[in-house]
Amino acid sequence: VEAVLAVSYDITERRRSEQVLRESEERLRLATEAADMYAWEIDLTTGVPRFSTNVEAISGQTPGATFEENMRRIHPDDRTLVHEAFARAEADGTDRFDYEMRTLLPAAANEPAELRWFRVSGVLLRGGPTGRPVRAVGVTRNVTARKQAAEALRQANERFQLAEEASNGFVYDWHVPTDRATRSAGMERVLGYAPGEVPETSTAWLALVHPADREGATQTIRQAFAAGETPVEVEYRVRRRNGTYAYMLDRALALRDDAGELVRVVGSTVDITARKQAETALRHAEARYREQLEQQVAKRTHELQESRDLLQSVFDTTLVAWVAMQAVRDEAGRVQDFRLQLVSRDLMRETIRTDLPGKLFTEEYPGMREVGVFDAAVRALETGQPQSLEYYYGYQGVQQWFAS
């Protein structure tokens, strides 16, 4: 050897771009961890998923879990809805999906699996010559605490209803002919009025009902009694002794004499303010959660597109023909071909082809199998080691030597 030829490339901008990308991904990681969620994407052509690094802390599965392992952790009753959500997103043209599912986290021996709830939101990304979805990108948030809170609320409401039948809150007895309405001592605990402080008449009680609710509540009760319905339930607000208003559930039972005339109304009045506030808070929380998810998905989708654009720009600024390919495997996992993902402008210029992305490598260049390039690509994929070879390509009108 008499001489050495060295070629250097200016990669400053690439390094800067890589640093910006790392910082962007770090911000996304911190945001998802704060929201108790993790990001993911699935190559729909291969079924290979990728997860953010915090997936194990949130869901218990490792970042390297396969799609099949992920599906096995989903509750058997929820696996179908996952497939249906993806199919529906593709069919209705929105390409968006949003659903909740349960997963089973393996536990120690002789211990039941831990049940966790997750909300999954994402978008399908289409590509290739068919325009079919090729990737799914989204975020998964742990909503176990919210589900447990909702279940606790449901159980509390059930217990509340049972207790209501046993006069939870306070009870009343209204003698209709004399308009005398007596109420139990529980009224002081619920509304703050001491026994005897509120006159024992229906008129005095109606005066405590919120003006905006008074007519509607009265009409509801009168119409129900006139139609022979009993018991009757109505919700309205009542002024407490301190001037604030409480939401009340009034459940009334009508008693009639032998002639069918209404003579007594016996019922219970229950404070449901906490339930109303919880329902309002839950609606607001879900609205904020949906907005946050939409923002996170939009941001991640934008970042992924920027990453793809950055890689394409790197390809386009090199002086070498570059391609990025994705393996296409059969059911046994053997590589059958490679699908062209990114193609540099130099290669498209040399081949006078601008439609290469999405095409199959050996279908477009069948001679690549004969000259050994396909086998070299498979070895590089399977071993993780770079492969190099020089070859003469004499196909499709090309008569040149190449080095890969």
Side-chain angles (χ1 to χ4, degrees):
V1 177
E2 298 296 334
V4 175
L5 175 63
V7 179
S8 298
Y9 298 94
D10 185 353
I11 62 172
T12 303
E13 288 302 318
R14 192 193 77 190
R15 289 289 187 173
R16 289 174 179 170
S17 298
E18 290 173 347
Q19 178 63 27
V20 170
L21 181 60
R22 283 194 296 270
E23 292 173 355
S24 177
E25 290 178 342
E26 177 64 10
R27 288 194 297 271
L28 177 62
R29 183 186 66 80
L30 294 175
T32 54
E33 288 180 355
D36 202 17
M37 66 172 65
Y38 61 89
W40 54 266
E41 64 176 292
I42 299 176
D43 186 327
L44 299 179
T45 61
T46 64
V48 177
R50 292 177 56 196
F51 303 96
S52 56
T53 56
N54 62 339
V55 62
E56 186 170 7
I58 295 175
S59 69
Q61 67 185 30
T62 60
T66 65
F67 180 79
E68 290 75 18
E69 290 172 337
N70 192 30
M71 287 298 297
R72 284 197 295 270
R73 289 198 173 190
I74 297 176
H75 193 285
D77 294 341
D78 294 347
R79 291 170 187 167
T80 300
L81 72 85
V82 175
H83 296 291
E84 290 176 347
F86 277 65
R88 187 165 51 251
E90 179 182 359
D92 63 19
T94 64
D95 289 346
R96 293 184 175 276
F97 48 88
D98 185 34
Y99 58 90
E100 291 185 349
M101 66 177 186
R102 293 163 292 176
T103 66
L104 298 173
L105 185 65
N110 302 321
E111 292 291 334
E114 179 185 347
L115 180 69
R116 292 186 182 180
W117 278 91
F118 292 91
R119 184 157 189 169
V120 182
S121 299
V123 62
L124 299 177
L125 301 179
R126 298 176 183 265
T130 64
R132 294 288 302 277
V134 295
R135 282 193 304 157
V137 180
V139 292
T140 300
R141 184 171 186 178
N142 186 352
V143 295
T144 305
R146 178 173 65 82
K147 282 292 187 177
Q148 291 173 340
E151 177 61 14
L153 180 61
R154 186 193 66 80
Q155 294 179 5
N157 286 338
E158 181 179 5
R159 290 193 299 269
F160 188 80
Q161 292 169 2
L162 294 174
E164 175 198 346
E165 294 177 3
S167 300
N168 186 18
F170 59 91
V171 299
Y172 62 87
D173 187 348
W174 177 30
H175 187 251
V176 178
T178 62
D179 193 29
R180 182 168 182 256
T182 58
R183 292 175 173 82
S184 66
M187 181 177 177
E188 182 176 11
R189 174 178 53 82
V190 176
L191 298 176
Y193 297 105
E197 189 172 355
V198 177
E200 296 180 340
T201 64
S202 61
T203 303
W205 177 254
L206 286 175
L208 299 177
V209 176
H210 194 287
D213 300 342
R214 192 174 300 152
E215 183 177 353
T218 302
Q219 281 292 102
T220 298
I221 294 174
R222 286 178 178 173
Q223 291 175 1
F225 285 166
E229 298 175 8
T230 187
V232 178
E233 289 188 1
V234 61
E235 295 180 4
Y236 51 84
R237 288 165 290 177
V238 176
R239 187 175 72 248
R240 299 186 181 98
R241 194 176 190 281
N242 62 11
T244 63
Y245 280 86
Y247 275 95
M248 310 300 294
L249 173 64
D250 197 329
R251 192 168 191 270
L253 179 67
L255 302 176
R256 302 177 183 275
D257 60 18
D258 294 339
E261 296 293 329
L262 182 64
V263 292
R264 289 179 63 194
V265 176
V266 179
S268 63
T269 306
V270 181
D271 187 344
I272 59 171
T273 305
R275 192 193 80 189
K276 286 287 188 179
Q277 292 173 340
E279 290 173 353
T280 300
L282 187 59
R283 287 195 298 271
H284 291 169
E286 289 180 340
R288 291 193 299 270
Y289 168 65
R290 285 194 297 271
E291 181 180 0
Q292 183 184 35
L293 276 182
E294 290 172 358
Q295 293 173 351
Q296 292 287 348
V297 171
K299 179 180 178 182
R300 181 57 177 162
T301 301
H302 179 69
E303 290 174 347
L304 289 172
Q305 185 60 50
E306 286 184 337
S307 299
R308 183 183 180 90
D309 293 344
L310 174 61
L311 186 58
Q312 181 69 64
S313 69
V314 172
F315 277 20
D316 292 342
T317 54
T318 63
L319 299 178
V320 186
W322 281 86
V323 294
M325 304 185 297
Q326 185 175 53
V328 178
R329 300 177 184 270
D330 59 17
E331 294 182 354
R334 293 184 293 268
V335 177
Q336 300 300 303
D337 207 333
F338 291 91
R339 191 173 301 280
L340 298 169
Q341 298 293 320
L342 296 176
V343 181
S344 67
R345 290 178 183 173
D346 186 63
L347 179 59
M348 288 191 286
R349 183 172 58 252
E350 289 291 331
T351 59
I352 318 178
R353 294 286 299 276
T354 60
D355 62 339
L356 290 174
K359 302 288 187 180
L360 292 176
F361 182 49
T362 61
E363 286 187 2
E364 300 304 315
Y365 303 103
M368 290 302 181
R369 291 185 185 270
E370 299 297 330
V371 300
V373 173
F374 176 80
D375 292 336
V378 173
R379 287 195 301 272
L381 177 68
E382 301 296 345
T383 66
Q385 298 297 321
Q387 305 290 315
S388 62
L389 75 159
E390 295 181 356
Y391 59 93
Y392 179 77
Y393 194 85
Y395 303 87
Q396 299 165 291
V398 179
Q399 304 291 329
Q400 286 182 264
W401 280 91
F402 296 91
S404 296

